[in-house]
């Protein structure tokens, strides 16, 4: 069987990616408390590189103020560069292109992750999950500092040997919060109408482009990730996201990435509209490649998405469950693909303890767990939630 998704494609800056399978960012929360990379993390990426053309490493915080989770990787100070380099090298050595996702947590940060429990965000609107803190609205100076920090973190990603960075404008993190009429109730230049709410994300992108100009060249990849809709009213709707995408692509980005629950989904906040979201993005992106994530598991699903015109298919949990998914497809061993995970597989699959917990709780929907073995966390559950 010859699949189009195994063929190479080019990003908008001309960088060739050897196939259309992308490993999207998956936060392991397995760094040292200081945000320094651990061997568990290096091993996890080494195991999953080689097959996918592009490997996007989990979100790294750009400053202590932007940290979201205990155990998150940091790109906030130069001392983190050697550790980040270990991950970039592990991925390159196995023949995949490594990109580092950069993020600022904002209102959804764990209080335990930030200094002095000082959770900050665009406005004092609590995060979307029970128990999340009510953030302190950021000052203008803090906003500008966070934007500059994305530029500095890009410089560190370049120094660490990453081929690019992806900006985390999705999944409720700060870049999305500033864009959301729900989370952003500011009356200064960072809030208000749609254009004003775009300013933060665009300013971050501009800072990252400036860092690329200063420290690398246009072969350095810049990706932008977005979540097209929010479930709240008011909240982000896909037409707003498309309007922002149109502003984003006026800047020199290499690819656009959308984070969906199901890669083929139509707008969930507008049930009458039956056009898949990927088609709406393809219609406006021109020569900017589109990567789509959301419950892709089988070669047939991935091929259908790519045949429909999507440039990159991001396979998250399935590549956690089977790190050799691409190799098995390439070697005509599709029957050998593992679609279910058992708790006794965790060690063999290089899945660190904090990720085990997340997979069996927040990310369990859509994951096939083949044993009913009780998961026995080694630390109190509150550690992960707090
Ligand atoms: C354990 C885990 C951690 C994740 N961490 C991130 C992250 O750091 N940044 C991000 O943009 N998305 C993150 N995601 C979302 C994935 O990138 C992806 O969009 C999502 O898992 C849907 O794809 P899938 O159904 O193929 O798993 C994470 C997902 C999982 C399962």
């Amino acid at each position: 069987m010859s699949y189009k998704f195994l063929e190479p494609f080019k990003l908008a800056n001309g960088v060739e990616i050897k196939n259309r399978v992308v490993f999207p960012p998956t936060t392991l929360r397995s760094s040292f408390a200081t945000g320094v990379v651990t061997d568990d993390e290096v091993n996890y990426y080494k195991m999953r590189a080689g097959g996918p053309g592009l490997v996007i490493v989990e979100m790294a915080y750009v400053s202590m103020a932007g940290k979201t989770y205990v155990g998150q990787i940091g790109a906030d100070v130069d001392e983190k560069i050697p550790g980040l380099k270990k991950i970039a090298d592990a991925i390159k050595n196995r023949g995949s292109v490594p990109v580092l996702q950069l993020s600022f947590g904002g209102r959804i940060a764990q209080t335990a992750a930030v200094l002095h429990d000082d959770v900050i965000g665009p406005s004092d609107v609590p995060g979307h999950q029970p128990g999340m803190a009510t953030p302190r609205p950021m000052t203008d100076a803090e906003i500008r500092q966070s934007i500059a920090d994305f530029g500095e973190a890009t410089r560190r990603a370049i120094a660490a040997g990453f081929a690019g960075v992806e900006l985390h404008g999705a999944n409720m993190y700060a870049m999305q919060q500033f864009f959301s009429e729900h989370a952003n109730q500011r009356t200064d230049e960072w809030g208000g109408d749609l254009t004003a709410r775009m300013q933060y994300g665009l300013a971050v992108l501009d800072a990252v482009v400036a860092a690329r100009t200063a420290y690398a060249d246009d072969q350095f990849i810049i990706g932008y990730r977005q979540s097209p809709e929010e479930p709240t009213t008011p909240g982000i709707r896909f037409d707003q996201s498309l309007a922002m995408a149109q502003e984003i692509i006026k800047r020199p980005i290499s690819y656009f990435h959308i984070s969906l629950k199901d890669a083929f989904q139509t707008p969930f906040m507008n049930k009458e509209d039956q056009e898949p979201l990927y088609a709406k993005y393809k219609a406006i992106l021109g020569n900017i490649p589109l990567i789509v994530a959301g419950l892709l598991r089988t070669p047939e699903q991935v091929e259908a998405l790519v045949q429909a015109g999507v440039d990159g298919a991001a396979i998250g949990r399935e590549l956690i469950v089977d790190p050799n998914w691409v190799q098995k497809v390439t070697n005509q061993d599709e029957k050998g693909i593992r679609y279910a995970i058992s708790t006794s597989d965790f060690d063999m699959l290089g899945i660190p303890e904090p990720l085990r917990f997340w997979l069996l709780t927040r990310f369990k929907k859509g994951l096939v767990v083949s044993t009913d073995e009780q998961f026995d966390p080694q630390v109190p559950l509150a550690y992960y939630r707090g």
Side-chain angles (χ1 to χ4, degrees):
M1 181 81 189
S2 70
Y3 289 115
K4 186 176 176 195
F5 70 76
L6 292 177
E7 293 170 9
F9 76 112
K10 278 198 172 136
L11 302 180
N13 60 347
V15 171
E16 185 167 284
I17 306 296
K18 70 177 181 182
N19 62 45
R20 292 163 184 274
V21 177
V22 176
F23 186 43
T26 54
T27 292
L28 306 182
R29 298 198 288 183
S30 299
S31 284
F32 290 110
T34 51
V36 167
V37 166
T38 58
D39 289 348
D40 280 353
E41 292 167 329
V42 178
N43 182 45
Y44 173 88
Y45 286 105
K46 191 186 283 179
M47 284 179 76
R48 284 160 186 84
L54 199 62
V55 172
I56 307 169
V57 171
E58 67 198 79
M59 55 171 192
Y61 54 89
V62 299
S63 66
M64 267 308 291
K67 186 168 179 173
T68 311
Y69 297 112
V70 173
Q72 190 184 348
I73 290 183
D76 56 325
V77 289
D78 287 3
E79 286 73 9
K80 307 274 169 79
I81 293 172
L84 293 170
K85 188 172 184 308
K86 286 188 206 166
I87 296 183
D89 286 347
I91 295 170
K92 283 191 282 193
N93 289 341
R94 295 209 59 206
S96 299
V97 172
V99 163
L100 179 65
Q101 192 184 54
L102 300 178
S103 83
F104 194 96
R107 71 182 183 123
I108 62 171
Q110 284 183 304
T111 43
V114 293
L115 289 176
H116 314 301
D117 293 350
D118 188 21
V119 174
I120 55 177
S123 303
D124 56 358
V125 181
H128 57 291
Q129 281 173 3
M132 283 182 164
T134 300
R136 172 177 65 76
M138 293 165 79
T139 64
D140 181 74
E142 284 172 329
I143 292 173
R144 288 177 200 282
Q145 182 62 53
S146 71
I147 293 166
D149 290 336
F150 273 93
E152 279 293 277
T154 301
R155 175 180 61 74
R156 294 183 193 106
I158 293 167
F162 278 92
V165 290
E166 176 179 280
L167 301 186
H168 197 352
N171 304 351
M172 304 282 190
Y173 289 81
M175 292 177 69
Q176 177 175 333
Q177 294 161 27
F178 273 94
F179 185 48
S180 165
E181 203 180 339
H182 171 70
N184 181 353
Q185 300 180 356
R186 299 181 75 93
T187 52
D188 62 4
E189 67 180 279
W190 304 106
D193 64 10
L194 188 64
T195 308
R197 284 183 277 115
M198 287 180 192
Q199 290 320 305
Y200 183 78
L202 295 176
V204 167
L205 178 53
D206 288 340
V208 167
V209 172
R212 173 172 79 171
T213 307
Y215 305 109
D217 59 30
D218 64 6
Q219 293 300 284
F220 187 75
I221 298 162
I222 299 178
Y224 197 105
R225 193 171 211 211
Q226 205 181 47
S227 293
E229 294 178 285
E230 275 180 352
T232 51
T233 302
I236 297 173
R237 298 294 177 265
F238 77 83
D239 53 338
Q240 300 174 341
S241 297
L242 289 174
M244 178 148 183
Q246 269 163 325
E247 291 305 314
I248 290 167
I249 62 174
K250 290 179 186 163
R251 276 91 175 156
I253 65 160
S254 322
Y255 70 83
F256 203 89
H257 188 178
I258 49 173
S259 175
L260 302 178
K261 283 205 163 62
D262 176 337
F264 297 92
Q265 83 191 45
T266 55
F268 65 76
M269 293 305 282
N270 184 353
K271 299 276 186 221
E272 284 93 69
D273 188 338
Q274 288 300 301
E275 186 181 34
L277 285 160
Y278 68 74
K280 296 179 186 298
Y281 278 86
K282 277 304 290 178
I284 62 155
L285 286 177
N287 71 339
I288 314 280
L290 175 66
I291 297 172
V292 180
L295 223 53
L296 294 169
R297 298 171 72 231
T298 66
E300 290 71 28
Q301 290 169 327
V302 172
E303 183 66 5
L305 190 70
V306 168
Q307 289 291 348
V310 170
D311 305 276
I315 309 177
R317 279 163 295 179
E318 180 51 29
L319 283 179
I320 296 178
V321 172
D322 193 340
N324 292 315
W325 189 98
V326 176
Q327 291 87 337
K328 288 179 183 173
V329 177
T330 309
N331 295 315
Q332 276 92 48
D333 182 23
E334 288 179 31
K335 285 207 171 63
I337 295 176
R338 171 200 305 266
Y339 288 112
I341 195 164
S342 143
T343 44
S344 57
D345 298 334
F346 283 146
D347 284 337
M348 179 188 72
L349 292 171
I351 297 175
E353 149 83 18
L355 179 60
R356 299 175 187 197
F357 174 78
W358 237 3
L359 286 177
L360 294 175
T361 53
R362 188 199 290 191
F363 290 104
K364 190 163 180 212
K365 209 171 166 206
L367 194 73
V368 183
V369 183
S370 63
T371 66
D372 56 3
E373 239 174 88
Q374 197 64 37
F375 175 57
D376 184 20
Q378 290 159 28
V379 293
L381 298 186
Y383 171 89
Y384 296 106
R385 295 206 181 104

